[in-house]
Amino acid sequence: MTKDNLNHMKMPDIRVVDDDFEVEFGLELIKNADELDPRDSLLDEIANKSSEVKDKLIHNNERLDELNSEIDRLTNHADGLDYIVAVGSGVLAGVIDSLWVGEFSLERGSDWGKEKVDKFVVKVAQMQGYEGDDIEGAIRKLEGFGAPSDSNTMDLGGSLQHHLRDFAHHPTLVGLIFSMLTQFTGKAYGTDTNGLFKVVDVKDKKLIGKDIPQKFLFGTVYWFFHMVSDMAGSSSTPGAGTGLPGPLLSLAKELSVLPFFQNMKVGEHSLSEWISKLFNGTLLAKRDADGRIVEQVRFDLRAELGVMYELGRQAIPVIINECIVRGFYFIRRLAMEIKEKDIRQFRELNRVDWDRVKPFKNRTIVRMLTIATGTFTAVDMVDAAIRGGLKSGGNAALFAKEFLLRVNFVGVGRFAIAVSSDVFMGVKRSGVRNERMMIMGEQLHLKNAQIFYKQAEMWIAAEKTEDTINEVIAFMENTTIYFMNALEDNSRSLEKIGSYKASIEENDSALLDEINDILKWG
C-alpha cells in the first residue's frame, strides 16, 4: 500500500522500563483512503464557501468606497460664504445686463448681419476675380453662377417666396442634396402655396450637367457661389431685397412638408403660412396705430445672424456670472487644500486633491451656479418689468412686448440648465445611496455567513479532535495489553531456558554463552 492511498497519524515515541529490561517504540495510525472521514470533504466545502464570501466582501468594500466618493460629489457642501458670493455675482451680472446689454433689438442685429453678409459676398467675389469693393458689383460678378431652378421661380413662390419654397435655395446640407438631385433628375423640388411638397420640371436646362463631373460641378461649386450671390439680394437691390432663408427657417420649412406638421397651427396661421409671413417680413412688420404695415422686417439669413449677435450680447453677463462663481470656488477650495495639508512650497502642490478643487461636476458648484443664475434672472426680470411698465404707460400689450425685449433669454436658459443639473444630481444621489444601503445590507449577511462558516469549522474540528483522542487512547490500551502479554511470554521463555540449561551444556555449551551475551546487550 503506497503513501498516496493512506492517511497517517504519527504519535510520539513511548519508552517502557521494567527493572533491567527496557523497550522503546513508536505508534503510527494508518487508515485506508477508502475509510477517510467524510467530515474532511465537508471542511473543504466550507473552506471554499468561506473563500467566496471573503472575495465578495472585498469586492463590496471596493464598491462602497466608490459609492461614498460619488455620494460626496453629489452632496452640496456649500456654506454661507459660498451663497453670499453666488448671490452677489448674480446681482452684479444683472446690473451689467441692465446697463450695458439693454433690450433685444432685431433691427440692430439685422443691421449687423447685413454688414457681415455684404462683406462676405464682396470677399468671395474678389476671390473670383472681382476687383471692386461694392456689394452691387460683387453680386453681379457672382450671378454668373446660376441655378437650374431659377427658371422655375414662378412655379415655386415667385420673387418674394422663391428662395424659401425652392429647397435648392436653402443654404444648408438639405439644400445641397436637392441641388444634386436636380442635376440627376432634371426636376426642381419645393412647396406650393399650401405648403405641400411639389416637384416640377426644370424649364431651362442649360445649367444641368451633361455628364457626371459637370453635374457635380454645377450641383456643388456653382450652387455655392449662387447661394453667396443671393445672400445679399439681387444686383438690382444690393444689400436689400429678398435674401436667403437662414438655417433655422430653412429647417422649419423643410419640416413643414412632413405629414406630422401639416395641420400644426402657430397662433391663427398654419406652420407653413407662419414661416412664409416670417420670411417675407409681414409677421414682424412695424405697424401704425391702425395696424397698417409701415416697415417690413424680414427674417432671412441676415436676420438670423443678427439674432445670434444679440444672443451673443446677452451671453456676456451670463459668462461673467459663470466665471466669477467658478473662479471663487476654485480659489477658495485650493486655499483650503493648501491649509489643510500644510503645503508651503510650490513643488508640494502635487499633494493637492484636485477633484476637491476643480469647479466642475460636483453638487456644490452646481448649487452655487443655480443660486447665481437664479439671482441674475430675478434681477433681469425685475429690471424688464420696471422698464416695460415705464415705457408702456399702462398698455398691457405694449408692456408685454417691452418686457420680452428686455428679458435675457440666454440667462433664463442657463438658469433652467442649472436647476435641471441640480435636480438630476439630487435624484442620482438618492439612487446611489439606495445602492449603498443594499450593499451594506448584503455585507451584513456576508459577515453573518462568515461567522457561521467559522463556527462550523470549529465544531467539526472539535468533534474530530475528540474522536482522534478516543482512538489514540483505545490504541494505547490495546498496545499496553499486547506489551504486557509479550513480557509474560518472554518471562516464561526465560524460565524455560533455565530448565533447558543442563541439556544445552551437554549438547552445545557455546549456545549458553551466546544467550548470555544477548541478555547482557539487551
Side-chain angles (χ1 to χ4, degrees):
M1 185 176 293
T2 63
K3 203 167 188 179
D4 292 335
N5 61 358
L6 293 177
N7 185 18
H8 295 72
M9 183 178 70
K10 190 76 164 48
M11 301 299 296
D13 290 344
I14 300 174
R15 177 174 295 181
V16 178
V17 179
D18 186 4
D19 295 332
D20 294 332
F21 189 79
E22 179 179 306
V23 177
E24 182 176 341
F25 60 95
L27 302 178
E28 184 175 9
L29 298 180
I30 301 177
K31 291 185 178 180
N32 192 291
D34 296 333
E35 300 175 0
L36 292 179
D37 195 332
R39 289 171 298 189
D40 291 337
S41 61
L42 181 58
L43 282 174
D44 291 338
E45 183 179 354
I46 290 175
N48 292 333
K49 294 294 185 180
S50 181
S51 178
E52 292 177 5
V53 170
K54 183 179 179 181
D55 291 341
K56 185 63 175 176
L57 284 169
I58 293 174
H59 173 75
N60 282 353
N61 283 331
E62 293 174 351
R63 180 57 181 161
L64 284 174
D65 290 340
E66 295 175 0
L67 293 176
N68 288 332
S69 177
E70 184 71 359
I71 290 172
D72 183 71
R73 185 183 71 85
L74 297 173
T75 300
N76 173 35
H77 300 291
D79 57 18
L81 182 58
D82 292 326
Y83 292 139
I84 291 173
V85 171
V87 171
S89 176
V91 171
L92 176 61
V95 171
I96 293 174
D97 178 72
S98 176
L99 299 180
W100 186 78
V101 177
E103 67 180 20
F104 185 96
S105 173
L106 183 59
E107 183 178 357
R108 177 176 58 207
S110 296
D111 290 342
W112 181 87
K114 175 181 176 299
E115 179 185 353
K116 296 300 179 183
V117 167
D118 289 352
K119 288 182 178 180
F120 177 73
V121 172
V122 171
K123 185 175 181 180
V124 172
Q126 290 173 343
M127 293 172 61
Q128 294 301 309
Y130 177 59
E131 297 179 354
D133 58 2
D134 63 288
I135 185 64
E136 181 180 352
I139 294 174
R140 186 173 291 109
K141 173 67 177 178
L142 296 175
E143 280 181 338
F145 297 93
S149 56
D150 274 347
S151 62
N152 300 94
T153 297
M154 300 311 298
D155 297 322
L156 298 172
S159 59
L160 291 179
Q161 294 286 325
H162 173 58
H163 289 170
L164 178 65
R165 292 182 183 172
D166 178 11
F167 287 172
H169 274 79
H170 290 182
T172 62
L173 178 61
V174 174
L176 175 60
I177 292 173
F178 276 102
S179 173
M180 291 300 303
L181 197 59
T182 298
Q183 289 293 322
F184 284 92
T185 63
K187 298 181 183 298
Y189 303 86
T191 66
D192 60 15
T193 55
N194 296 319
L196 300 176
F197 190 63
K198 184 177 182 180
V199 182
V200 295
D201 291 326
V202 174
K203 294 179 180 179
D204 185 358
K205 298 188 177 182
K206 65 181 181 181
L207 288 176
I208 298 293
K210 300 297 187 295
D211 51 32
I212 291 180
Q214 196 174 52
K215 289 180 184 294
F216 273 97
L217 175 66
F218 288 159
T220 57
V221 178
Y222 272 52
W223 172 82
F224 171 75
F225 287 118
H226 185 69
M227 292 300 99
V228 175
S229 72
D230 283 345
M231 285 181 183
S234 65
S235 57
S236 59
T237 57
T242 303
L244 293 177
L248 295 178
L249 202 62
S250 296
L251 177 62
K253 187 62 177 175
E254 292 152 8
L255 292 176
S256 69
V257 303
L258 300 177
F260 178 79
F261 296 98
Q262 284 294 321
N263 298 322
M264 183 176 290
K265 293 282 187 179
V266 181
E268 299 177 354
H269 307 288
S270 67
L271 178 61
S272 179
E273 292 174 339
W274 184 83
I275 293 172
S276 296
K277 288 180 176 293
L278 187 62
F279 180 70
N280 64 29
T282 59
L283 185 67
L284 301 177
K286 296 180 180 179
R287 302 175 184 270
D288 59 17
D290 297 326
R292 292 190 293 265
I293 295 177
V294 177
E295 180 184 353
Q296 292 181 342
V297 180
R298 298 180 183 277
F299 194 77
D300 56 10
L301 176 61
R302 292 164 290 191
E304 281 196 25
L305 291 175
V307 169
M308 298 303 296
Y309 170 73
E310 287 295 303
L311 292 177
R313 293 179 72 250
Q314 288 191 346
I316 291 175
V318 177
I319 294 173
I320 292 174
N321 192 21
E322 193 97 1
C323 290
I324 291 174
V325 174
R326 292 188 187 274
F328 171 79
Y329 178 94
F330 175 79
I331 293 173
R332 187 182 182 206
R333 266 59 188 184
L334 179 59
M336 292 168 66
E337 275 284 292
I338 291 174
K339 181 179 179 181
E340 180 181 336
K341 296 183 178 177
D342 194 26
I343 296 174
R344 300 180 180 276
Q345 297 182 14
F346 184 80
R347 64 173 179 270
E348 294 179 334
L349 287 176
N350 59 356
R351 293 161 49 196
V352 172
D353 183 359
W354 294 105
D355 288 335
R356 298 176 60 186
V357 174
K358 60 185 181 183
F360 303 101
K361 296 182 180 180
N362 65 77
R363 186 79 177 281
T364 303
I365 189 64
V366 169
R367 178 61 56 82
M368 291 175 66
L369 287 171
T370 300
I371 293 173
T373 55
T375 303
F376 168 73
T377 301
V379 172
D380 177 59
M381 293 290 186
V382 171
D383 175 70
I386 293 174
R387 292 179 183 270
L390 293 176
K391 284 190 175 183
S392 66
N395 186 313
L398 185 57
F399 169 78
K401 175 185 176 182
E402 293 295 332
F403 176 78
L404 290 176
L405 289 176
R406 278 280 174 180
V407 171
N408 190 310
F409 293 101
V410 177
V412 173
R414 183 63 187 90
F415 175 59
I417 292 173
V419 172
S420 300
S421 299
D422 201 350
V423 172
F424 173 77
M425 282 188 166
V427 173
K428 187 175 181 180
R429 178 174 179 267
S430 297
V432 174
R433 291 183 66 184
N434 290 338
E435 182 182 353
R436 184 178 67 173
M437 291 177 63
M438 290 175 59
I439 293 179
M440 291 179 69
E442 184 180 6
Q443 288 292 81
L444 181 61
H445 289 300
L446 291 173
K447 286 289 185 182
N448 288 335
Q450 200 174 40
I451 292 173
F452 291 148
Y453 285 137
K454 290 295 182 182
Q455 288 177 338
E457 287 180 346
M458 180 188 70
W459 287 114
I460 292 174
E463 185 179 3
K464 288 188 64 177
T465 301
E466 181 183 8
D467 291 347
T468 300
I469 292 173
N470 291 334
E471 288 179 5
V472 170
I473 291 173
F475 186 79
M476 292 179 66
E477 289 177 349
N478 292 333
T479 302
T480 302
I481 293 172
Y482 177 81
F483 179 69
M484 295 305 296
N485 291 335
L487 287 178
E488 291 179 0
D489 290 342
N490 288 339
S491 178
R492 283 194 296 270
S493 296
L494 289 175
E495 291 177 356
K496 287 182 178 182
I497 290 173
S499 64
Y500 296 142
K501 179 179 179 183
S503 177
I504 293 173
E505 286 180 346
E506 180 180 351
N507 296 294
D508 189 0
S509 59
L511 179 60
L512 290 176
D513 293 334
E514 291 177 3
I515 293 173
N516 187 46
D517 290 338
I518 292 173
L519 292 176
K520 287 181 179 180
W521 178 81

